[in-house]
Coordinates of all heavy atoms in Angstrom, one line a residue:
Chain I
P71 N 30.2 -181.4 -161.9 CA 30.7 -182.8 -161.9 C 31.6 -182.9 -160.6 O 32.2 -182.0 -160.0 CB 31.6 -182.9 -163.1 CG 31.8 -181.5 -163.6 CD 30.7 -180.6 -163.0
D72 N 31.7 -184.2 -160.3 CA 32.5 -184.5 -159.0 C 34.0 -184.4 -159.2 O 34.8 -184.6 -158.3 CB 32.2 -185.9 -158.5 CG 32.5 -187.0 -159.5 OD1 33.0 -186.7 -160.5 OD2 32.1 -188.2 -159.2
R73 N 34.4 -183.9 -160.4 CA 35.8 -183.5 -160.6 C 36.2 -182.3 -159.7 O 37.4 -182.1 -159.5 CB 36.1 -183.3 -162.0 CG 35.9 -184.4 -163.0 CD 36.4 -184.0 -164.4 NE 35.7 -182.9 -165.0 CZ 36.3 -181.7 -165.2 NH1 37.5 -181.5 -164.8 NH2 35.6 -180.7 -165.8
F74 N 35.2 -181.6 -159.4 CA 35.4 -180.3 -158.5 C 35.0 -180.7 -157.1 O 34.0 -181.2 -156.8 CB 34.4 -179.2 -159.0 CG 34.8 -178.7 -160.4 CD1 34.2 -179.3 -161.5 CD2 35.6 -177.6 -160.6 CE1 34.5 -178.9 -162.8 CE2 35.9 -177.1 -161.9 CZ 35.4 -177.8 -163.0
S75 N 36.0 -180.4 -156.2 CA 35.7 -180.6 -154.8 C 36.3 -179.5 -154.0 O 37.3 -178.8 -154.4 CB 36.2 -182.0 -154.3 OG 37.6 -182.0 -154.5
G76 N 35.7 -179.3 -152.9 CA 36.2 -178.2 -151.9 C 36.4 -178.7 -150.5 O 35.8 -179.7 -150.1
S77 N 37.2 -178.1 -149.8 CA 37.5 -178.3 -148.4 C 37.8 -177.0 -147.6 O 38.1 -176.0 -148.2 CB 38.5 -179.4 -148.2 OG 39.8 -178.9 -148.7
K78 N 37.8 -177.2 -146.3 CA 38.1 -176.0 -145.5 C 38.8 -176.5 -144.2 O 38.5 -177.5 -143.6 CB 36.8 -175.3 -145.0 CG 37.1 -174.0 -144.3 CD 35.8 -173.2 -143.9 CE 35.4 -173.5 -142.5 NZ 34.3 -172.5 -142.1
S79 N 39.7 -175.7 -143.8 CA 40.5 -176.0 -142.6 C 40.8 -174.7 -141.9 O 41.6 -173.9 -142.4 CB 41.7 -176.8 -142.8 OG 42.4 -177.1 -141.6
D80 N 40.2 -174.6 -140.7 CA 40.5 -173.3 -139.9 C 40.2 -172.1 -140.7 O 39.0 -171.8 -141.0 CB 41.9 -173.3 -139.4 CG 42.1 -172.4 -138.3 OD1 41.2 -171.9 -137.7 OD2 43.3 -172.0 -138.0
T81 N 41.1 -171.3 -141.2 CA 40.9 -170.0 -141.9 C 41.3 -170.1 -143.3 O 41.5 -169.1 -144.0 CB 41.6 -168.8 -141.2 OG1 43.0 -169.1 -141.2 CG2 41.1 -168.7 -139.8
S82 N 41.4 -171.4 -143.9 CA 41.7 -171.5 -145.3 C 40.8 -172.5 -146.0 O 40.3 -173.4 -145.3 CB 43.2 -172.1 -145.5 OG 44.1 -171.1 -145.0
A83 N 40.6 -172.3 -147.3 CA 39.8 -173.2 -148.1 C 40.5 -173.6 -149.3 O 41.5 -172.9 -149.7 CB 38.5 -172.5 -148.4
T84 N 40.2 -174.7 -149.9 CA 40.8 -175.2 -151.1 C 39.8 -175.7 -152.0 O 38.8 -176.4 -151.7 CB 41.7 -176.4 -150.7 OG1 42.7 -175.9 -149.8 CG2 42.4 -177.0 -151.8
L85 N 40.1 -175.5 -153.3 CA 39.3 -176.1 -154.4 C 40.2 -177.0 -155.2 O 41.3 -176.6 -155.7 CB 38.8 -174.9 -155.4 CG 38.1 -175.4 -156.6 CD1 36.8 -176.0 -156.3 CD2 37.9 -174.2 -157.6
D86 N 39.8 -178.2 -155.4 CA 40.6 -179.2 -156.1 C 39.8 -179.5 -157.4 O 38.6 -179.7 -157.4 CB 40.8 -180.5 -155.3 CG 41.7 -180.4 -154.2 OD1 42.7 -179.7 -154.4 OD2 41.5 -181.0 -153.2
I87 N 40.5 -179.6 -158.5 CA 40.0 -179.9 -159.8 C 40.8 -181.1 -160.3 O 42.0 -180.9 -160.6 CB 39.9 -178.8 -160.8 CG1 39.3 -177.5 -160.2 CG2 39.1 -179.2 -162.0 CD1 39.4 -176.3 -161.0
T88 N 40.1 -182.2 -160.5 CA 40.8 -183.4 -161.1 C 40.4 -183.6 -162.5 O 39.4 -183.1 -163.0 CB 40.6 -184.6 -160.3 OG1 39.1 -184.9 -160.3 CG2 41.0 -184.4 -158.8
G89 N 41.2 -184.4 -163.2 CA 40.8 -184.8 -164.6 C 40.7 -183.5 -165.5 O 39.6 -183.4 -166.2
L90 N 41.6 -182.6 -165.3 CA 41.5 -181.3 -166.0 C 41.1 -181.4 -167.5 O 41.6 -182.3 -168.3 CB 42.8 -180.5 -165.9 CG 43.0 -179.8 -164.6 CD1 44.4 -179.3 -164.5 CD2 42.0 -178.7 -164.4
Q91 N 40.2 -180.5 -167.9 CA 39.8 -180.4 -169.3 C 40.1 -179.0 -169.8 O 40.1 -178.1 -169.0 CB 38.3 -180.8 -169.4 CG 38.0 -182.2 -168.9 CD 36.4 -182.4 -169.0 OE1 35.7 -181.6 -169.3 NE2 36.1 -183.6 -168.5
T92 N 40.2 -178.8 -171.1 CA 40.5 -177.5 -171.6 C 39.3 -176.6 -171.3 O 39.5 -175.3 -171.1 CB 40.7 -177.5 -173.1 OG1 39.6 -178.2 -173.8 CG2 42.0 -178.3 -173.5
G93 N 38.2 -177.1 -171.2 CA 37.0 -176.3 -170.8 C 37.0 -175.8 -169.5 O 36.1 -175.0 -169.0
D94 N 38.0 -176.3 -168.6 CA 38.0 -175.8 -167.2 C 38.9 -174.5 -167.2 O 38.9 -173.9 -166.1 CB 38.7 -176.8 -166.4 CG 37.9 -178.1 -166.3 OD1 36.7 -178.0 -166.3 OD2 38.5 -179.1 -166.0
E95 N 39.5 -174.0 -168.3 CA 40.2 -172.8 -168.3 C 39.3 -171.7 -168.0 O 38.3 -171.4 -168.7 CB 40.9 -172.5 -169.6 CG 42.1 -173.4 -169.9 CD 43.1 -172.9 -170.9 OE1 42.5 -172.1 -171.8 OE2 44.2 -173.1 -170.8
A96 N 39.6 -171.0 -166.8 CA 38.6 -170.0 -166.3 C 39.3 -169.2 -165.2 O 40.4 -169.6 -164.7 CB 37.3 -170.6 -166.0
G97 N 38.6 -168.3 -164.7 CA 39.0 -167.6 -163.4 C 38.2 -168.3 -162.3 O 37.0 -168.6 -162.5
Y98 N 38.8 -168.5 -161.1 CA 38.1 -169.1 -160.0 C 38.2 -168.2 -158.8 O 39.3 -167.7 -158.5 CB 38.7 -170.5 -159.7 CG 38.4 -171.5 -160.8 CD1 39.2 -171.6 -161.9 CD2 37.3 -172.3 -160.7 CE1 38.9 -172.5 -162.9 CE2 37.0 -173.2 -161.7 CZ 37.9 -173.3 -162.9 OH 37.6 -174.2 -163.9
Y99 N 37.1 -167.9 -158.1 CA 37.0 -167.0 -157.0 C 36.4 -167.7 -155.8 O 35.4 -168.4 -155.9 CB 36.2 -165.8 -157.4 CG 36.7 -164.9 -158.4 CD1 36.4 -165.2 -159.8 CD2 37.5 -163.8 -158.1 CE1 37.0 -164.3 -160.8 CE2 38.0 -162.9 -159.1 CZ 37.8 -163.3 -160.4 OH 38.3 -162.4 -161.4
C100 N 37.1 -167.5 -154.6 CA 36.4 -167.9 -153.4 C 35.7 -166.7 -152.8 O 36.1 -165.5 -153.1 CB 37.5 -168.4 -152.4 SG 38.9 -167.3 -152.1
G101 N 34.8 -166.9 -152.0 CA 34.0 -165.8 -151.3 C 33.4 -166.3 -150.0 O 33.2 -167.5 -149.8
A102 N 33.3 -165.3 -149.1 CA 32.7 -165.6 -147.8 C 32.2 -164.3 -147.2 O 32.7 -163.2 -147.5 CB 33.7 -166.2 -146.9
W103 N 31.3 -164.4 -146.3 CA 30.8 -163.2 -145.5 C 31.9 -162.9 -144.5 O 32.4 -163.9 -143.8 CB 29.5 -163.4 -144.9 CG 29.0 -162.2 -144.1 CD1 29.1 -162.0 -142.8 CD2 28.4 -161.0 -144.7 NE1 28.6 -160.8 -142.4 CE2 28.2 -160.1 -143.6 CE3 28.1 -160.6 -146.0 CZ2 27.6 -158.9 -143.7 CZ3 27.6 -159.4 -146.1 CH2 27.3 -158.5 -145.1
D104 N 32.2 -161.6 -144.3 CA 33.1 -161.2 -143.2 C 32.4 -160.6 -142.1 O 31.8 -159.5 -142.3 CB 34.2 -160.3 -143.8 CG 35.3 -160.0 -142.7 OD1 35.1 -159.5 -141.7 OD2 36.5 -160.4 -143.1
S105 N 32.3 -161.2 -141.0 CA 31.5 -160.7 -139.8 C 32.1 -159.5 -139.2 O 31.4 -158.8 -138.5 CB 31.4 -161.8 -138.7 OG 30.8 -163.0 -139.3
R106 N 33.4 -159.3 -139.4 CA 34.0 -158.1 -138.7 C 33.8 -156.8 -139.6 O 33.4 -155.8 -139.1 CB 35.5 -158.3 -138.5 CG 36.2 -157.1 -137.8 CD 37.7 -157.4 -137.5 NE 38.4 -157.7 -138.8 CZ 39.0 -156.7 -139.5 NH1 38.9 -155.5 -139.1 NH2 39.7 -157.1 -140.6
L107 N 34.0 -157.0 -140.9 CA 33.9 -155.9 -141.9 C 32.4 -155.7 -142.3 O 32.1 -154.6 -142.8 CB 34.7 -156.2 -143.1 CG 36.3 -156.4 -142.9 CD1 36.8 -156.8 -144.2 CD2 36.8 -155.1 -142.3
N108 N 31.6 -156.7 -142.0 CA 30.2 -156.7 -142.4 C 30.0 -156.5 -143.9 O 29.2 -155.7 -144.4 CB 29.4 -155.5 -141.7 CG 28.0 -155.8 -141.4 OD1 27.6 -157.0 -141.2 ND2 27.2 -154.8 -141.4
V109 N 30.8 -157.3 -144.7 CA 30.7 -157.3 -146.1 C 31.0 -158.7 -146.6 O 31.6 -159.5 -145.9 CB 31.7 -156.3 -146.8 CG1 31.4 -154.9 -146.3 CG2 33.2 -156.7 -146.5
W110 N 30.6 -158.9 -147.9 CA 31.1 -160.1 -148.6 C 32.5 -159.8 -149.0 O 32.8 -158.7 -149.5 CB 30.2 -160.4 -149.9 CG 29.0 -161.2 -149.5 CD1 27.7 -160.8 -149.3 CD2 29.0 -162.6 -149.7 NE1 26.9 -161.9 -149.1 CE2 27.7 -163.1 -149.4 CE3 30.0 -163.6 -149.9 CZ2 27.3 -164.4 -149.3 CZ3 29.6 -164.9 -149.9 CH2 28.3 -165.3 -149.6
V111 N 33.4 -160.8 -148.9 CA 34.7 -160.6 -149.4 C 35.0 -161.7 -150.3 O 34.5 -162.8 -150.2 CB 35.8 -160.6 -148.2 CG1 35.6 -159.3 -147.4 CG2 35.6 -161.8 -147.3
F112 N 35.9 -161.4 -151.3 CA 36.3 -162.3 -152.3 C 37.8 -162.4 -152.4 O 38.5 -161.5 -152.0 CB 35.7 -162.0 -153.7 CG 34.2 -162.0 -153.8 CD1 33.5 -160.8 -153.7 CD2 33.6 -163.2 -154.1 CE1 32.1 -160.9 -153.7 CE2 32.2 -163.2 -154.2 CZ 31.5 -162.1 -154.0
G113 N 38.3 -163.6 -152.9 CA 39.7 -163.6 -153.3 C 39.9 -162.8 -154.6 O 38.9 -162.5 -155.3

Side-chain angles (χ1 to χ4, degrees):
Chain I
D72 60 6
R73 300 186 299 105
F74 294 86
S75 63
S77 62
K78 184 178 100 167
S79 177
D80 197 16
T81 60
S82 292
T84 297
L85 174 69
D86 289 322
I87 311 172
T88 60
L90 279 171
Q91 303 174 0
T92 55
D94 296 332
E95 286 203 332
Y98 292 85
Y99 292 87
C100 57
W103 181 260
D104 191 298
S105 301
R106 180 177 64 85
L107 299 175
N108 210 34
V109 299
W110 271 94
V111 291
F112 294 97

